[in-house]
Amino acid sequence: MDKDKIFDFTKISDECIKCGKCKPVCTIFNINADETTSPRGFIDLLGSYKRGELELDRDVKNIFESCFLCTACVEVCPNSLPTDMMIEQVRADIAKKYGIAWYKRFFFFLLRHRFVMDLLAKLGWVFQTCGLKIDKQTQGAKLRFNLPIEKIKPMVDGRTLPFADRKSFLNTYPSNIKAKNTPKGKVAIFIGCMGNYAYTNIGKSLLYILDRLDYDVMIPKKQLCCGAPAYFTGDFDTVDYLVKKNIEYFETFIDDVEAIIVPEATCSAMINTDWEHFLHNQPQWLQRAKKISPKVIMATKWLENNTKLKDILQQSGKKMDDIITYHNPCHAKKMQGIEKEPRELLKQNYQLEEMSDPNSCCGFGGVTMQSEKYHLAKEVGNKKAKMIDDTNATIVSAECSACRMQITDSLNRIDSKVIFKNPIELIADALQNR
């Protein structure tokens, strides 16, 4: 579709042929079979809203906040109608009219101010064992007590949550790490918030792989959140701040590196796709974002297409005992077409067992879905967890920490023994066991 038309709600509504191909793949429609919460229902309502025929009341707000933004509908739509982008735009209108919940505003404040986030993460690490029962194998934790706050209680009771590591990834390693041998090139790492604070072994594993491949590595210390949590929630002021700060920073080193590699599907999709969508009406910033995006690449895609890592893994002859099943993150497969690359790398040393539908959304869905609409996330997550458990795999993998958080919680709810690991961690494990 013409980029000039992607935010014309009326035009898009008129172009929907009502074929219904979107309904069977829609994450929310599969658990709430109501036409209003189907992609063609969303599109029709958005057209009516644009024409002034529909008031943005609380019922309509609830409908537009029920979309998981999984983009499954876009993938199957004959006209490739951008339902997800339209909903992201209307959520900004919702935020302006109804405001944003205090806990979301606080979270987005932390995303803007890394120093404060670092401080809270450090305090959290010191005191977290007082309130959390930590399982280091699954990298998940549960509250030791019930919260008395009725509004928060449904979001946390019985839930498996990520926990802070002792030291963040960005505060653990130097800005520049030289290859031990003659370097084949230089890359930068964008780690993502969850990889920075909770799942720090992802970054450690990526550094190990890059060291084995003889690459100089830059760790940009001033990188901020990519803006995805705020973007999917409608807090466009926070998005504007984070995107522009990151662009200005990336411009200082982008010409010095081959790529900015990202071991996170949501972050890489946000930077190389959604930044341009967000900046569609800011032409100067849009051009600056476009100069950066070609160098922003998901880690497994870059490793598969630009290095000899697969050959090294194959030549090792090492066969790991773990059976892996792979989940396709929505922001990897549907938005970036990445699904073969991680599998090609993993199958050199692991046995892969495909689940019945690796493309189905895990149910993470963003901050709103993980808070006041957590009941929907749980329902989708339970279906995904059972699908994973049915494979008899020992590990489920996906290059996305949002999926990791959701799937780990869902697996624990059905008492599954399957644990989650990022493919970067699994590849590093295979290299270390040569």
Side-chain angles (χ1 to χ4, degrees), residues 262-265 298-301 326 329 342 397-401 422-424:
V262 189
E264 300 284 353
M298 260 180 71
T300 54
K301 180 178 179 179
Y326 199 83
S397 187
E399 204 166 353
C400 178
S401 290
N422 188 294
I424 295 299

Side-chain angles (χ1 to χ4, degrees), residues 6-197:
I6 61 175
F7 298 108
D8 187 339
F9 291 4
T10 302
K11 175 75 173 172
I12 293 170
S13 180
D14 290 344
E15 289 187 359
C16 177
I17 59 175
K18 309 295 188 289
C19 66
K21 287 185 177 181
C22 54
K23 292 169 70 174
V25 301
C26 175
T27 304
I28 182 61
F29 187 78
N30 275 311
I31 61 168
N32 183 56
D34 186 323
E35 183 65 28
T36 58
T37 54
S38 71
R40 69 182 185 183
F42 289 139
I43 286 175
D44 194 52
L45 291 172
L46 285 161
S48 297
Y49 166 63
K50 183 69 173 181
R51 293 189 295 270
E53 301 165 1
L54 181 71
E55 183 185 350
L56 198 61
D57 59 21
R58 291 195 177 274
D59 288 337
V60 174
K61 171 183 181 290
N62 181 57
I63 291 169
F64 289 146
E65 288 182 340
S66 296
C67 175
F68 283 82
L69 298 174
C70 69
T71 72
C73 56
V74 181
E75 191 176 40
V76 300
C77 177
N79 288 336
S80 300
L81 299 180
T83 311
D84 60 317
M85 285 188 273
M86 296 166 67
I87 289 174
E88 287 157 358
Q89 292 294 310
V90 82
R91 285 183 181 178
D93 292 353
I94 290 171
K96 286 176 184 175
K97 182 170 182 178
Y98 292 100
I100 296 172
W102 66 266
Y103 49 86
K104 295 180 190 175
R105 293 200 309 273
F106 178 65
F107 176 54
F108 298 152
F109 169 83
L110 294 178
L111 298 185
R112 287 183 180 224
H113 302 91
R114 188 171 294 285
F115 173 78
V116 182
M117 179 78 99
D118 284 349
L119 180 62
L120 286 182
K122 193 171 291 186
L123 289 171
W125 180 82
V126 172
F127 295 107
Q128 62 191 3
T129 52
C130 300
L132 297 175
K133 189 184 296 182
I134 291 172
D135 183 341
K136 290 189 176 180
Q137 184 180 17
T138 64
Q139 286 193 284
K142 290 189 177 183
L143 287 177
R144 293 184 181 275
F145 48 81
N146 292 325
L147 285 177
I149 308 171
E150 288 302 317
K151 197 162 186 179
I152 304 295
K153 194 174 180 181
M155 306 177 195
V156 294
D157 276 4
R159 186 172 186 173
T160 303
L161 300 162
F163 58 89
D165 210 337
R166 181 175 185 176
K167 200 172 183 181
S168 73
F169 172 78
L170 291 176
N171 289 331
T172 299
Y173 300 95
S175 299
N176 289 283
I177 301 173
K178 293 290 185 181
K180 291 174 183 173
N181 301 312
T182 303
K184 292 186 172 67
K186 183 178 181 180
V187 295
I189 294 175
F190 186 91
I191 193 62
C193 297
M194 295 298 291
N196 186 39
Y197 292 107

Side-chain angles (χ1 to χ4, degrees), residues 62 65-66 368-378:
N62 181 57
E65 288 182 340
S66 296
T368 298
M369 203 62 69
Q370 290 292 310
S371 51
E372 57 257 46
K373 293 193 178 297
Y374 180 55
H375 61 289
L376 299 177
K378 280 198 296 185

Side-chain angles (χ1 to χ4, degrees), residues 391-406:
T391 64
N392 294 317
T394 52
I395 294 174
V396 58
S397 187
E399 204 166 353
C400 178
S401 290
C403 295
R404 183 181 202 146
M405 176 180 164
Q406 168 72 0

